[in-house]
Amino acid sequence: MSMIRDLRAAVRPSRRRDGAAFVYEKSAPACVNSAIVDCAVYREGRRVQEACTPAEAMASVRTEGGFAWIGLHEPSEAEFAGIAAEFGLHPLAVEDAVHAHQRPKLERYDDTLFTVFKTVHYVEHTELTATSEVVETGEVMCFTGRDFIVTVRHGGQGSLRALRHRLQDDPELLAKGPSAVLHAIADQVVDGYIAVAGAVQDDIDEVEIDVFSSGTGRGATRGGDAGRIYQLKREVLEFKRAVGPLLRPLQLLSERPMRPVDSDIQKYFRDVADHLARVNEQVLSFDDLLNSILQANLAQAAVAQNEDMRKITSWAAIFAVPTMIAGIYGMNFHSMPELHWKYGYPAVLVATVALCFGIHRGFKRNGWL
């Protein structure tokens, strides 16, 4: 069995149960350029040159074959200018890579592919509040050519170091060239989406249980559930912005022949695209579910308010009886009936209590009290 059949097993990262897809590892720079995390040449799937500059890496590739993989972390314009010139990268793509904050996309400049991935990291929290940060996003940008791949990371997570080590342990896979690295990055990013989606699902389940924990609606208003739901909606929206736009680029990578992409690798992009489509459907369902939970929360709050108003109205009606009787006999007219009657006062008290008791029992029977 060829190693390509084991492609996904070779590049898929292990998933943590806590939902965190990536761990940030900022390594010491491999070259003089402080933005360069690693720079290496791979020939026949094996790393053959270390501690090199991008110019030295490309010189080695052009004379002896193989491909170069240069990894950068948040480079400045000055730091990236020499690399862009060495690899002939398009100025528009270079500008996007330096300034970041791009939506996921795939662009083709001559024989170079420029791909933008949004990485998503689940932020652990002991308790979900109305201000909790649930997801944190970063970016991984890839310049993929026939004999090189340049990766640019932005953000404090989404490290590719562990991925590089796994690929280096599989020479047959790396022998497929830069497109194998591109596939591995796409696969890791999508696997991160799957892990984060599972963790966000747990948060939504927790909020849903809290909202429906009390049938009278008291549980809906306790603890600021509406604020927590709204915060989750905002975090899901950020998640959706990372997942949705990536569907089309992965479809293009899996369906349309491209010169930098090896034909044996291209078919495996379909599997990544399929996983991404399922995650996208799950994220869309999150939004619909949160809308339903929010509507239920508001409905329960309205029910609770109506119950409070009914109780207030009931007690007001009960207290209106002694107030009315006291008001009538407080007018002090000399010719009022029973005013000078010996048993008038106790009779009025008994009548007042009886009326109040009868009204209270009627409201109680009808569920107002």
Side-chain angles (χ1 to χ4, degrees):
M1 180 183 293
S2 68
M3 193 61 66
I4 292 299
R5 288 187 176 179
D6 298 328
L7 181 63
R8 291 194 55 81
V11 302
R12 181 176 297 276
S14 59
R15 298 180 188 168
R16 291 172 47 189
R17 292 186 178 181
D18 59 3
F22 306 111
V23 178
Y24 172 57
E25 303 176 27
K26 182 66 181 293
S27 63
C31 310
V32 177
N33 191 331
S34 61
I36 296 180
V37 177
D38 202 353
C39 177
V41 173
Y42 297 89
R43 193 170 295 117
E44 296 181 357
R46 300 187 182 277
R47 185 167 180 153
V48 297
Q49 191 168 353
E50 306 235 12
C52 61
T53 66
E56 293 171 344
M58 282 310 297
S60 174
V61 167
R62 287 163 183 162
T63 57
E64 302 181 42
F67 73 95
W69 181 0
I70 294 90
L72 300 96
H73 181 256
E74 298 183 352
S76 64
E77 292 184 12
E79 291 171 330
F80 201 42
I83 297 175
E86 182 67 36
F87 292 95
L89 306 181
H90 196 279
L92 292 177
V94 170
E95 182 181 0
D96 290 344
V98 170
H99 296 289
H101 304 296
Q102 304 296 316
R103 72 193 302 269
K105 61 182 178 179
L106 171 66
E107 295 177 345
R108 182 172 179 176
Y109 298 97
D110 297 327
D111 291 336
T112 301
L113 296 179
F114 177 58
T115 315
V116 178
F117 301 98
K118 282 278 191 183
T119 58
V120 179
H121 169 70
Y122 180 75
V123 180
E124 292 294 330
H125 45 265
T126 56
E127 182 181 2
L128 181 65
T129 67
T131 58
S132 294
E133 185 180 11
V134 179
V135 296
E136 180 184 4
T137 59
E139 293 180 44
V140 175
M141 305 177 183
C142 302
F143 294 88
T144 309
R146 182 181 57 83
D147 53 8
F148 69 88
I149 180 166
V150 179
T151 57
V152 182
R153 290 195 301 112
H154 289 270
Q157 39 78 33
S159 173
L160 301 177
R161 168 171 288 202
L163 175 65
R164 186 188 286 262
H165 291 330
R166 284 197 303 274
L167 289 173
Q168 288 176 172
D169 291 337
D170 190 353
E172 186 175 346
L173 177 61
L174 266 183
K176 295 296 181 179
S179 59
V181 179
L182 179 63
H183 170 270
I185 293 172
D187 192 47
Q188 175 166 295
V189 168
V190 174
D191 280 348
Y193 294 165
I194 296 173
V196 173
V200 172
Q201 179 70 67
D202 293 339
D203 284 336
I204 294 176
D205 292 342
E206 177 185 344
V207 170
E208 186 177 17
I209 291 172
D210 289 343
V211 168
F212 293 101
S213 61
S214 175
T216 62
R218 296 294 182 185
T221 57
R222 186 182 62 248
D225 283 338
R228 294 196 297 162
I229 297 170
Y230 185 72
Q231 177 66 13
L232 263 180
K233 283 180 63 65
R234 293 185 61 181
E235 296 298 305
V236 167
L237 178 61
E238 185 175 359
F239 192 10
K240 191 193 309 185
R241 288 172 179 166
V243 175
L246 189 57
L247 287 170
R248 182 57 179 165
L250 285 183
Q251 288 176 352
L252 292 175
L253 285 170
S254 63
E255 298 172 359
R256 184 174 299 177
M258 299 181 183
R259 272 181 283 185
V261 180
D262 187 276
S263 58
D264 290 333
I265 296 293
Q266 186 176 27
K267 65 186 72 173
Y268 290 95
F269 277 106
R270 297 176 197 158
D271 189 54
V272 180
D274 179 64
H275 285 194
L276 180 65
R278 283 187 286 172
V279 174
N280 185 62
E281 293 174 359
Q282 189 176 7
V283 173
L284 292 177
S285 69
F286 288 165
D287 199 31
D288 294 337
L289 181 58
L290 285 171
N291 284 334
S292 300
I293 295 174
L294 183 59
Q295 292 299 321
N297 176 264
L298 296 177
Q300 288 187 344
V303 169
Q305 291 175 353
N306 288 337
E307 290 181 353
D308 291 340
M309 289 303 300
R310 286 193 296 179
K311 290 181 179 180
I312 293 172
T313 302
S314 300
W315 284 110
I318 292 172
F319 283 111
V321 173
T323 302
M324 180 187 65
I325 295 175
I328 292 174
Y329 280 93
M331 291 187 290
N332 294 324
F333 290 111
H334 292 290
S335 60
M336 290 182 64
E338 295 90 24
L339 190 60
H340 301 287
W341 183 34
K342 179 179 179 180
Y343 300 104
Y345 177 69
V348 169
L349 287 181
V350 171
T352 301
V353 172
L355 286 172
C356 290
F357 178 76
I359 295 174
H360 180 276
R361 188 165 184 181
F363 283 134
K364 193 79 171 179
R365 187 184 302 114
N366 291 326
W368 283 48
L369 287 175

